[in-house]
Amino acid sequence: MGWVSTVTKRALITGITGQDGSYLAELLLSKGYEVFGLVRRLSAPNQMNVRHLIDRLEFLDGDMMDQSSLNAAVKQVQPDEVYNLAAQSFVATSFVQPVVTGEMTGLGVVRLLEAVRAFAPGARVYQASSSEMFGKVDREPQDEQTPFHPRSPYGVAKLYAHWACVNHREAYGVFVANGILFNHESPRRGLEFVTRKISSGVARIHLGLAKSISLGNLDARRDWGYAPEYVELMWRTLQHKEPDDFVGATGESHSVRDFVKEAFRHVGIEDWETHVVVDERHFRPAEVYNLRGDSSKAKSLLGWEAKTRFKDLLGIMVDADVKAWGEREEGPVRSGSVAHLEY
């Protein structure tokens, strides 16, 4: 009787402790992968999102700004798939720290690609591009052919990384694919992001723990989806026969005002305006007003489409924060000690 060998795929995830990284780790583990996560050395470990997976993951110390650590991680893991989700991912911070954002979110990707090219040339690489690269759009919805016009240092850094991936694909034959994902949210979103700021604030007001939320531009419109569905797209992107770029989106856009209003309505509060303070300190120096994606290509070639609708998404988030704030007087634990540094 012959032996039947089964080969387990190995995946390396940068940004594993962030929202997307944690959901992706869950997905890959459910598919039988060995999952390795690159983590930055912090004074207080940032493992809140993956604490339930600790015994099933292997962590490696590394930093997107340190070439030698990336080389060592790739050489040790010998991954079949690499998912680069690490970034300085908060747009507001990118205006205050543009150089760090460029180093980590932009040049860090080149360092990772070079590590893969040198030590795991057969690996398939997924790069988390962003709808923020579209920026000042002149048409909608936006798809893979829409021109880019980023309006923040974050968007600029993501665009540099995006084109670096295309260049490595064309110049060196690296299997690297870009996922141009529009906003995707969940209860694991960092508290500084507007959707989580709203869901947490509404929960606190509903429970009598606060009276108002301070927000910026209520008229900005975004295409908001549910993060666990978007990590499925990441995986499908690397199973495609050829490396390619795919937009992930719901095809619907809603304003921040819509999100606030519906979140309050979800807990039975109709006079939402009395609980919202608009503070110009939260406005961006250059605003992105309307992002709405077209993921027809992903549906056609990968069989993927977003399923969770807008009201269902905000219901999931508000309910989770109501539960969290209700269970502990001190409130929900922040998603990461520095949540916008997704490692």
Side-chain angles (χ1 to χ4, degrees):
M1 185 175 71
W3 290 97
V4 178
S5 65
T6 59
V7 178
T8 300
K9 283 189 176 181
R10 297 160 72 88
L12 174 62
I13 303 174
T14 72
I16 195 168
T17 61
Q19 169 190 257
D20 291 2
S22 63
Y23 284 122
L24 178 61
E26 289 177 351
L27 176 69
L28 296 181
L29 287 170
S30 75
K31 294 180 179 297
Y33 281 64
E34 285 184 66
V35 179
F36 300 79
L38 189 77
V39 293
R40 295 173 72 236
R41 177 61 63 187
L42 299 171
S43 57
N46 170 20
Q47 297 181 335
M48 192 64 191
N49 286 331
V50 293
R51 65 193 183 281
H52 60 299
L53 303 173
I54 292 294
D55 294 339
R56 303 176 65 193
L57 303 172
E58 185 168 337
F59 298 102
L60 301 96
D61 289 337
D63 195 301
M64 295 299 288
M65 294 194 281
D66 180 67
Q67 184 71 62
S68 62
S69 67
L70 298 178
N71 291 348
V74 172
K75 188 175 181 180
Q76 177 181 336
V77 174
Q78 288 297 295
D80 298 288
E81 297 172 4
V82 177
Y83 295 86
N84 182 45
L85 311 183
Q88 190 302 98
S89 61
F90 191 41
V91 173
T93 295
S94 78
F95 284 102
V96 181
Q97 300 180 19
V99 176
V100 169
T101 301
E103 282 282 355
M104 185 180 295
T105 306
L107 281 172
V109 177
V110 177
R111 296 185 187 103
L112 182 62
L113 290 172
E114 287 296 287
V116 169
R117 193 159 72 92
F119 298 105
R124 297 187 169 199
V125 181
Y126 175 88
Q127 163 61 14
S129 288
S130 169
S131 60
E132 289 288 330
M133 300 187 312
F134 292 121
K136 188 178 180 181
V137 296
D138 61 1
R139 68 196 73 175
E140 62 173 280
Q142 296 91 44
D143 62 16
E144 295 81 4
Q145 303 305 314
T146 303
F148 298 119
H149 188 152
R151 298 265 283 173
S152 68
Y154 170 76
V156 170
K158 279 291 187 181
L159 185 55
Y160 174 85
H162 177 92
W163 283 116
C165 290
V166 173
N167 182 251
H168 270 66
R169 188 165 68 205
E170 295 176 352
Y172 306 120
V174 177
F175 190 113
V176 55
N178 290 300
I180 310 172
L181 305 189
F182 282 66
N183 295 59
H184 44 285
E185 318 296 322
S186 77
R188 297 183 192 174
R189 190 60 136 156
L191 283 168
E192 70 274 32
F193 289 87
V194 68
T195 50
R196 185 74 195 289
K197 187 176 184 181
I198 293 168
S199 66
S200 180
V202 167
R204 294 180 74 240
I205 291 167
H206 171 65
L207 294 170
L209 301 174
K211 297 190 177 189
S212 65
I213 313 173
S214 179
L215 298 171
N217 182 10
L218 300 183
D219 296 320
R221 301 180 67 86
R222 294 293 185 271
D223 185 325
W224 280 302
Y226 187 38
E229 296 174 0
Y230 284 59
V231 300
E232 170 80 20
L233 174 56
M234 295 176 187
W235 178 77
R236 291 193 183 202
T237 297
L238 290 196
Q239 312 318 305
H240 192 50
K241 60 184 182 296
E242 299 174 349
D244 204 349
D245 305 330
F246 293 93
V247 162
T250 69
E252 299 178 5
S253 71
H254 299 271
S255 67
V256 175
R257 189 185 309 275
D258 293 336
F259 202 105
V260 175
K261 180 169 66 174
E262 291 299 331
F264 274 110
R265 184 172 292 169
H266 185 75
V267 295
I269 298 175
E270 295 292 338
D271 59 338
W272 64 271
E273 294 98 333
T274 63
H275 299 288
V276 174
V277 177
V278 176
D279 189 337
E280 291 190 359
R281 289 178 298 177
H282 299 310
F283 280 59
R284 297 180 181 181
E287 184 58 83
V288 175
Y289 287 98
N290 193 24
L291 295 177
R292 180 168 68 90
D294 178 358
S295 55
S296 299
K297 180 179 175 182
K299 182 176 181 180
S300 173
L301 296 183
L302 305 179
W304 180 90
E305 61 180 324
K307 296 177 181 176
T308 302
R309 298 293 97 182
F310 177 68
K311 289 186 179 180
D312 296 326
L313 168 65
L314 64 86
I316 291 169
M317 295 182 68
V318 172
D319 288 345
D321 274 325
V322 168
K323 183 174 185 290
W325 280 104
E327 287 178 347
R328 40 177 103 75
E329 276 187 16
E330 70 273 19
V333 178
R334 185 184 175 92
S335 177
S337 56
V338 185
H340 55 270
L341 293 176
E342 294 183 345
Y343 268 74

